[in-house]
Amino acid sequence: MDTGPVSRTGAAFRTVLTRDADELARNLTDWEQCYDQMTAGSFRGALTELRMPRTQVFREEISQSVRQSCTVRPGALWFGFPDHGDGTRINGRPMEDGCVMVRPGGGEFELLTPSRHAIHGIVVCRETLARAALRSGCGVDWDGLRSAEVLRVDPDERLACVRAIASALALCQGPERALPAGGEDGLLAALLGVLDRSGVEPAAALSFQRRRRVVARVRDYILAHRDRPLTVPELCAQAHVSRRTLQYCFEDVLGMSPTLYLRRLRLNGVRRQLLDPGARPRPIGAVAADWGFGSFSQFSSDYRKLFGESPSASRA
């Protein structure tokens, strides 16, 4: 369900409620995203979003663990404030409580979020933020932000920024349906308060970067050969690693085995195709075969366990 947008004085506010992870991904304005549900059970997602002339703020809530492929609009910076860090990973890197995630626009990054996850986010044009920092005398590590994934920040400043975002969203849900004058400037000031006392976490160790490359190489191979069964030895051969190393890479980067990831990725691919209103209607068995499922009964059982409904119910 999508309520909006509602526009007041150059701002647009909307809320979205959905039972599908990928539908939630498509509804965040000016983002390119793809969500794959990773844990079993019915999905519930909620998005509250406010777009203003210079910034975008939102709160996203999801009931199941999701692997997210995300790209923010070019020229922007995204800052993510998860309610808790436990189980959250950015580009495979585990988050700690109290940290802030950051990525520049125009480049893809990956999030793995746990079940019962909520996050506040703010997206701002880099030039807008730079001008605001200059006016306020705020010291920002711009070189560090270009490559950063995780920021260590002052907890009080972090809390103040999250409250500013939540307050802006709440005001737009209230009777006035709008921010007061200067509301957007207040959000920028709250974000600069975080950045003025932040430190960029060191780059991931070379060993971890290698494990990320192994996982990425295997994922690309799975998607390129989605229509046929794949074995772990075949994946090992493509990644040039042993079975034990492949297992370790996936558990360290994604927190799951390669076989579980393969099955989840393909089940999400089938669901995405079944729910696509623009796709040519084909028998469900043929769609499942397109994603390498040979046994329809086993596929149907796995699908129901992951998404809490049958493939035919999804299509209906």
Side-chain angles (χ1 to χ4, degrees), residues 63-81:
S63 62
Q64 300 294 340
S65 175
V66 171
R67 188 199 74 86
Q68 308 178 14
S69 172
C70 312
T71 304
V72 190
R73 66 179 184 270
L77 286 167
W78 163 75
F79 300 89
F81 301 77

Side-chain angles (χ1 to χ4, degrees), residues 124-191:
V124 58
C125 172
R126 186 184 183 281
E127 291 184 2
T128 295
L129 191 62
R131 288 195 296 268
L134 186 63
R135 288 194 302 270
S136 65
C138 175
V140 178
D141 181 3
W142 297 110
D143 291 334
L145 285 182
R146 275 196 287 268
S147 58
E149 296 171 337
V150 178
L151 301 177
R152 288 194 176 275
V153 302
D154 179 86
D156 292 334
E157 296 291 353
R158 184 190 192 279
L159 179 60
C161 190
V162 170
R163 285 177 172 172
I165 295 171
S167 176
L169 295 173
L171 284 170
C172 290
Q173 288 178 299
E176 296 299 324
R177 305 294 294 271
L179 282 181
E184 189 172 12
D185 290 333
L187 285 166
L188 288 171
L191 177 59

Side-chain angles (χ1 to χ4, degrees), residues 126-267:
R126 186 184 183 281
E127 291 184 2
T128 295
L129 191 62
R131 288 195 296 268
L134 186 63
R135 288 194 302 270
S136 65
C138 175
V140 178
D141 181 3
W142 297 110
D143 291 334
L145 285 182
R146 275 196 287 268
S147 58
E149 296 171 337
V150 178
L151 301 177
R152 288 194 176 275
V153 302
D154 179 86
D156 292 334
E157 296 291 353
R158 184 190 192 279
L159 179 60
C161 190
V162 170
R163 285 177 172 172
I165 295 171
S167 176
L169 295 173
L171 284 170
C172 290
Q173 288 178 299
E176 296 299 324
R177 305 294 294 271
L179 282 181
E184 189 172 12
D185 290 333
L187 285 166
L188 288 171
L191 177 59
L192 287 172
V194 172
L195 299 180
D196 195 33
R197 303 177 64 183
S198 69
V200 176
E201 279 285 271
L206 292 177
S207 58
F208 186 76
Q209 293 179 35
R210 177 178 177 271
R211 292 192 286 274
R212 287 199 301 206
R213 288 194 294 271
V214 168
V215 170
R217 191 178 304 128
V218 170
R219 180 188 305 123
D220 291 344
Y221 186 78
I222 291 172
L223 292 174
H225 300 83
R226 70 181 197 181
D227 60 341
R228 64 179 182 83
L230 297 174
T231 64
V232 170
E234 183 177 354
L235 299 179
C236 291
Q238 290 299 318
H240 308 293
V241 296
S242 68
R243 188 180 191 123
R244 182 177 180 180
T245 298
L246 185 71
Q247 180 83 11
Y248 180 67
C249 289
F250 269 79
E251 289 180 349
D252 195 34
V253 174
L254 293 176
M256 67 186 75
S257 70
T259 52
L260 179 61
Y261 176 76
L262 170 63
R263 188 159 59 249
R264 293 285 195 257
L265 189 68
R266 289 184 160 181
L267 287 169

